[in-house]
Amino acid sequence: MARADVLVLFGATGDLAKKKLFPALYEMEEAGELEIPVFAVASSKWTQDEFKIRAEASIRERKASLDEVINESALNKLLDKLFLVVGDYQDPQTFIKLREALLEFKLPVIYLAIAPGMFTDVTQGLAKVNLTAIARVVVEKPFGRDLASAIALDEALKKLLPEDQIYRIDHYLGKESVEDLLVFRFANTLFEPVWNRNYISNIQITMSEDFGIDGRGKFYDEVGALRDVVQNHLLQVLTMLTMEPPIDMSSSALQDEKVKVLSAVRKVLPSDVVRGQYVGYLQEEGVSAQSPIETFVAMRLFIDNWRWAGVPIYLRTGKKLAETTMEAVVEFNQPPRQLFATQGQPAPEPNIVRFRLGRQDGVDLSLQAKAPGSQLITNTVDLTVEFAAALGARKEAYERLLDAAILGDHFRFTRIDAVLKSWEILENIVLAPSTLHPYFGATWGPQEAMELVPGGWMDVGTAAEKSS
Ligand code: BG6
């Protein structure tokens, strides 16, 4: 695929641009990988200088939060590549101005980091000035609000752009730790033979955040946890953990396998789901006083295929929880006979593979080893690897995704059939949400969520303990 020669950023004043996109552009510049100019489109009436000051501040803030030093020369080079186009997204003049600014470029990547409700209008604006004839368009998640609206959005976009010019973002697909699930499973002979219902008793995926909605009340109150992260991030992680090996590592082979496993996931019923809302959410700015939106969701699901039939899979996510973590834990069955359990003592812990997918990503294998002493009993030991320490620094997701869109590689983006399948899985609970349970901050959510998992959720961080 040809390399794009310019990047256009809609939503340049938004939260995503501030927190992720400008810092990612800086990292690309520092690595010598950003060879193209960046045009930002924003409705705020800033001057070029004011815009650059904002971009610079967001980069400095991010680097300071990571305790990392700024490379001033890379920062200046990036700022020299940034240009602002001011205009309202509803105003045709904005698109005419943009077209004029892009006259010398042949292959723009246009990133829509804007409210999902604006995707169609902005793409229509781009079409009116013929930019859709040449551009790749990147759309943020969530793609639609439910199955029907995702189909409608797809139809509206397809009238303006073919599938191969659309890049649907789910930034979890840009995470090296999530991609590592493929490598762990399909580059190590050790695990694949036992990666099925005969050896695995259950899978638990936790994405927890100890912070709230961070000033994003208006956006969040339209979506809630289910649409914000379950339909996309968590189902993507589930897919990577459970799909069959693709025939090769081409984008289409990977997408085919994803669709296949998603097609086998049983539609979730309200009785499989616990929704919660943290106490204090209704007082957040931008949130409606009677909001029925969940900030926590836990669910049980099943994959009705040969490999996974009968294995319960649990997902949970929430804001204002006890810890920030992103983990997938695969628990194995107990050995067929307990040879090392002494009378009156609990059986040894089962083996566990824990994938740490957030910060300090890596893998832990939890095994049994002989406890010191005269008795033949066991203790749990963890074999742990932290990838950055073992292999060197990993790139941020948005850096990899921007790079992939510039290169025209769909591997790390979602295909429409997979998006529609994931909405189908959640359709019952999106259309008829179950009871909303309140929970206090710094906890693991409503008590009802604890009861979803027989024996309780595995504690995050250590293999042996259980959270309660
Ligand atoms: C975003 C959600 O997609 O992912 C946020 O909109 C969430 O609500 C964020 O906080 C989490 O991303 P990460 O990469 O920090 O796990």
Side-chain angles (χ1 to χ4, degrees), residues 45-110:
K45 295 207 169 17
W46 292 341
T47 62
Q48 295 287 340
D49 284 347
E50 282 165 339
F51 164 61
K52 289 186 187 201
I53 289 168
R54 298 277 295 226
E56 178 178 346
S58 66
I59 294 163
R60 288 194 186 278
E61 202 178 303
R62 171 77 183 153
K63 292 298 266 185
S65 75
L66 297 173
D67 240 351
E68 289 175 5
V69 181
I70 291 249
N71 174 336
E72 298 292 335
S73 130
L75 176 64
N76 287 330
K77 266 199 198 160
L78 171 65
L79 295 177
D80 284 346
K81 284 185 182 154
L82 295 186
F83 303 93
L84 179 68
V85 177
V86 176
D88 194 291
Y89 300 161
Q90 312 278 4
D91 179 0
Q93 281 306 317
T94 305
F95 296 91
I96 293 171
K97 251 199 273 179
L98 178 66
R99 187 71 192 102
E100 279 162 10
L102 298 182
L103 271 183
E104 64 181 287
F105 301 104
K106 298 196 165 42
L107 207 177
V109 165
I110 304 184

Side-chain angles (χ1 to χ4, degrees), residues 20 141 171-172 175 207 209 216 228-229 233 319:
K20 305 275 194 189
K141 52 117 274 236
H171 81 275
Y172 268 52
K175 287 185 188 258
M207 176 192 183
E209 296 176 318
R216 297 160 74 219
D228 187 33
V229 299
H233 304 335
K319 301 279 184 195

